[in-house]
């Protein structure tokens, strides 16, 4: 995501000079960012981390290495918990941030398959992150997928990858009132991020497009202009509405809060940011908020696939084309990889990150 950086940085430096206090966080290396991908053999697997946590859950997590993923089978062996079938994902060509990061997995019962692809593309830096988690909480299978598109820097998107889903699963109402839990967690995580960056000489932000599958209910939450689209009974259905400053309801909300929407090449909040909701962006609060819009879908035979992606994809690929390819490919990671390649070949000027989830209702456990 591109924003007007020079004006924003000047404002940040001015605010920092006023003496903002706090402790600066030190970023860590994550595999959920294309810049952090190590060379992987063609028949290798970028694995998922096994985490034994509270409430007796076993987690498969996109945030760590294949070695830790191998421990997942040992952690879950004989426990009746979900075990993914790990598949080979194509080789990562190089170990710097021009490389693709891609991979995928199957749930043991075969009813859910996921693939992802992330690519720096034509941008000088990589500001996209993604997160995929598979877990079981109190006997309930839970899957979480997220795409985070940073702007003005990568730190906000990185923070969301590190904390958003962890915070959500700790919410006391996560299983009983999932919509409430998502809404409160989004806004609390935004507050936590701003506090963690109080002394930083930057004011970056991030979108968040997430899909949370709890049992047979799918919850899609969105902040910003990343997007989630499903294929339902053969039709493409957007489960998020891009948060643009010129959206009638968004413009009214911004102006009621005392903000302004200005044309500067495109419609921008305060003439700076080309989206109306985001995590971070301290200097644009309270006009730019992290309150998500949430859609709920029942998972039944009509639901065929889900595509989550940053606007680097949606700028040049239509919803119908994305879900059509997403459900037609045998391997969802192949679909995700092809979608990122298509977007790049069509001239997308942004980072491109895509997650494809396929639903196979005819499978038996």
């Amino acid at each position: 995501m591109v924003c007007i950086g020079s004006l924003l940085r000047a404002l940040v430096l001015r605010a920092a000079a006023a003496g903002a206090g706090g402790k600066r966080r030190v970023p860590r290396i994550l595999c959920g960012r294309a810049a952090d991908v190590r060379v992987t053999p063609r028949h290798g697997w970028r694995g998922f981390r096994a985490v034994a946590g509270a409430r007796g859950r076993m987690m498969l997590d996109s945030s760590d290495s294949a070695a830790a993923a191998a421990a997942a089978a040992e952690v879950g062996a004989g426990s009746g918990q979900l075990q993914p079938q790990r598949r080979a994902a194509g080789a990562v060509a190089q170990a710097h941030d021009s490389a693709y990061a891609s991979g995928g997995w199957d749930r043991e019962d075969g009813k859910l398959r996921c693939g992802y692809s992330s690519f720096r593309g034509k941008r000088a830096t990589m500001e996209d992150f993604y997160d995929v988690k598979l877990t079981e909480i109190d006997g309930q299978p839970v899957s979480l997928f997220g795409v985070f598109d940073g702007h003005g820097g990568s730190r906000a998107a990185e923070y969301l990858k590190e904390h958003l889903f962890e915070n959500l699963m700790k919410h006391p109402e996560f299983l009983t009132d999932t919509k409430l839990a998502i809404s409160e967690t989004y806004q609390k995580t935004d507050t936590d991020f701003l506090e963690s960056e109080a002394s930083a000489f930057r004011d970056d932000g991030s979108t968040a497009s997430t899909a949370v599958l709890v049992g047979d209910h799918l919850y899609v939450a969105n902040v910003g202009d990343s997007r989630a689209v499903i294929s339902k009974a053969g039709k493409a259905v957007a489960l998020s509405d891009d948060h643009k400053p010129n959206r009638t309801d968004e413009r009214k909300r911004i102006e009621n809060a005392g903000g302004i929407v200005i044309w500067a090449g495109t419609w921008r909040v305060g003439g700076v940011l080309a989206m109306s909701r985001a995590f971070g962006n301290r200097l644009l609060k309270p006009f730019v908020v992290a309150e998500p819009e949430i859609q709920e879908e029942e998972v039944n035979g009509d639901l065929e696939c889900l595509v989550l992606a940053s606007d680097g994809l949606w700028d040049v690929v239509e919803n119908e084309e994305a879900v059509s390819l997403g459900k037609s490919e045998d391997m969802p990671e192949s679909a995700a990889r092809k979608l990122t390649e298509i977007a790049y070949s069509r001239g997308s000027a942004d980072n491109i990150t895509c997650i494809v989830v396929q639903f196979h209702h005819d499978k038996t456990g």
Side-chain angles (χ1 to χ4, degrees), residues 218 220 227-240 302-309 313-314 316-332 334-336 338-340 342 346 354-360:
L218 177 68
V220 170
R227 191 181 307 164
V229 182
I230 60 171
S231 178
K232 184 176 182 180
K235 296 182 179 180
V237 180
L239 291 186
S240 62
D302 289 339
L303 183 59
E304 297 160 320
C305 83
L306 162 72
V307 178
L308 292 167
L313 180 83
W314 301 118
V316 293
V317 176
E318 295 295 329
N319 294 354
E320 294 78 6
E321 182 180 7
V323 296
S324 177
L325 196 154
K327 66 184 180 181
S328 64
E329 287 288 322
D330 290 337
M331 308 281 273
S334 296
K338 285 184 178 180
L339 283 169
T340 57
I342 288 170
R346 291 180 182 174
C354 178
I355 296 174
V356 175
V357 182
Q358 296 175 345
F359 299 89
H360 299 275

Side-chain angles (χ1 to χ4, degrees), residues 247-316:
R247 240 178 68 174
T248 302
D249 56 341
E250 287 295 277
R251 183 166 192 157
K252 182 178 180 180
R253 178 186 60 77
I254 292 165
E255 291 175 346
N256 286 345
I260 57 173
V261 174
I262 299 174
W263 178 264
T266 187
W267 291 106
R268 299 177 183 272
V269 180
V272 176
L273 188 63
M275 69 183 72
S276 55
R277 300 193 191 192
F279 288 82
N281 295 117
R282 181 194 315 277
L283 298 178
L284 294 175
K285 303 296 186 192
F287 322 125
V288 174
V289 298
E291 180 180 357
E293 291 185 311
I294 305 171
Q295 299 289 332
E296 180 179 357
E297 280 285 328
E298 182 180 356
V299 178
N300 54 35
D302 289 339
L303 183 59
E304 297 160 320
C305 83
L306 162 72
V307 178
L308 292 167
S310 59
D311 66 339
L313 180 83
W314 301 118
D315 284 346
V316 293

